[in-house]
């Protein structure tokens, strides 16, 4: 059975393929019980027979992880035209410090390449992500930032847009901890620390989008946030359907 027939039989997109410069996600760890996941962004450098070379991630994957099974995922359109993550489980073979790309030496991650039929629909997060609109009455406060804009949130974290001057952006870093307060206007709030998992600066350099992971929360705050997210998700699912990956 050819790859296209296999994909159709398993209800997978027929265009699943790892090609140079294709964005991918490396899932190093999933813990459904504790609702924790370690996902790192990468891209395809080279597919060499049964070995797939990926760009080093941030934070970087260490050589000590050689031999560990990891999940490699990419986004593709499902039958409804919705972008979904599809992945396969491969073995981390090596971390190379002298991979040559465009006459430059970079770090690369070597993993076993996928075979026909290896792909399956997966998830890159443990929580439903709620897109925010003005009518929700949900805002976030981040220590050190004036009027941050909450883009979306879940029980596990949020995406936030912040104004970023040169000085402010210079002080931002992945894995940085920022105290936060997520306010549900007219109801209450949940507070804790937000660990910066991703950091993307806008093209004009005037703002940055932070992906933060919630931690160091009191049990009261955790339970309150879970209830409020569940309530909001119920409304969002009825109104918009399931979350999309974009």
């Amino acid at each position: 059975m050819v790859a296209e027939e296999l994909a159709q039989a398993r209800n997978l997109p027929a265009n699943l393929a790892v090609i140079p410069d294709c964005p991918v996600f490396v899932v190093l760890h999933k813990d459904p019980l504790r609702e924790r996941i370690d996902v790192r962004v990468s891209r395809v450098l080279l597919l060499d027979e049964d070995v797939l070379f990926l760009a080093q991630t941030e934070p970087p994957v260490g050589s000590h992880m050689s031999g560990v099974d990891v999940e490699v995922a990419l986004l593709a359109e499902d039958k409804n035209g919705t972008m979904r993550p599809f992945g396969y489980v491969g073995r981390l073979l090596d971390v190379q410090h002298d991979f040559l790309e465009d006459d430059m030496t970079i770090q690369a991650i070597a993993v076993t390449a996928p075979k026909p039929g290896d792909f399956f629909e997966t998830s890159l997060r443990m929580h439903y992500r709620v897109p925010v609109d003005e009518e929700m009455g949900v805002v976030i406060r981040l220590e050190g930032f004036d009027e941050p804009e909450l883009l979306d949130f879940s029980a596990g974290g949020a995406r936030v847009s912040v104004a970023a001057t040169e000085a402010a952006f210079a002080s931002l870093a992945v894995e940085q901890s920022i105290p936060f307060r997520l306010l549900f206007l007219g109801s209450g709030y949940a507070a804790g620390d937000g660990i910066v998992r991703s950091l993307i600066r806008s093209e004009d350099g005037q703002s940055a989008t932070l992906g933060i992971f919630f931690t160091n929360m009191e049990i009261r705050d955790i339970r309150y946030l879970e209830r409020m997210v569940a309530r909001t998700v119920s409304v969002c699912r009825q109104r918009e359907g399931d979350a999309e990956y974009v």
Side-chain angles (χ1 to χ4, degrees):
M1 184 178 290
V2 298
E4 290 80 4
E5 292 174 336
L6 264 174
Q8 186 175 10
R10 300 179 59 194
N11 202 27
L12 298 176
N15 60 344
L16 277 175
V18 285
I19 58 177
D21 286 329
C22 170
V24 296
F25 301 87
V26 181
V27 184
L28 298 179
H29 175 71
K30 280 185 178 181
D31 187 345
L33 183 61
R34 296 184 179 180
E35 297 186 323
R36 297 290 184 266
I37 187 169
D38 185 350
V39 181
R40 305 186 188 185
V41 179
S42 182
R43 62 183 174 88
V44 175
L45 297 174
L46 175 68
L47 177 59
D48 184 10
E49 296 183 353
D50 59 350
V51 179
L52 180 64
F53 293 91
L54 306 175
Q56 179 61 283
T57 64
E58 180 59 43
V61 175
S63 300
H64 67 281
M65 296 192 66
S66 296
V68 172
D69 286 341
V70 299
E71 186 177 308
V72 179
L74 65 155
L75 300 181
E77 287 188 359
D78 65 11
K79 62 181 180 180
N80 298 317
T82 300
M83 297 301 289
R84 295 287 187 185
F86 297 85
Y88 76 95
V89 176
R91 185 171 296 276
L92 180 62
L93 302 174
D94 189 23
V95 176
Q96 297 192 355
H97 299 271
D98 55 356
F99 187 90
L100 190 63
E101 182 188 41
D102 297 332
D103 298 323
M104 294 181 59
T105 299
I106 62 173
Q107 284 196 19
I109 307 167
V111 299
T112 54
K115 298 180 177 62
D118 282 354
F119 281 99
F120 52 88
E121 185 167 359
T122 185
S123 176
L124 299 177
R125 54 179 178 256
M126 290 296 178
H127 304 280
Y128 180 91
R129 183 177 294 169
V130 181
V132 173
D133 59 46
E134 294 181 0
E135 297 178 357
M136 283 183 178
V138 185
V139 296
I140 194 168
R141 299 287 182 259
L142 290 179
E143 186 175 287
F145 295 93
D146 294 328
E147 299 183 356
E149 179 186 1
L150 181 63
L151 303 177
D152 56 49
F153 68 98
S154 72
R159 280 195 316 132
V160 184
S161 177
V162 297
T165 62
E166 288 296 332
F169 195 80
S171 67
L172 283 172
V174 174
E175 299 301 316
Q176 178 180 346
S177 178
I178 305 174
F180 78 90
R181 181 172 289 192
L182 188 65
L183 296 94
F184 296 84
L185 301 181
S187 174
Y189 68 88
D193 292 329
I195 305 298
V196 178
R197 293 301 197 199
S198 63
L199 174 59
I200 303 174
R201 192 172 189 177
S202 63
E203 292 184 2
D204 61 12
Q206 299 303 305
S207 64
T209 299
L210 310 180
I212 62 175
F213 168 73
F214 296 156
T215 188
N216 291 341
M217 299 173 65
E218 299 290 341
I219 295 297
R220 180 202 67 83
D221 293 281
I222 294 173
R223 298 299 178 231
Y224 172 75
L225 179 57
E226 288 175 344
R227 289 196 305 272
M228 296 305 295
V229 169
R231 184 180 304 173
T232 308
V233 165
S234 178
V235 174
C236 287
R237 286 187 186 276
Q238 293 176 12
R239 184 180 60 194
E240 301 174 0
D242 204 354
E244 293 186 8
Y245 288 78
V246 295

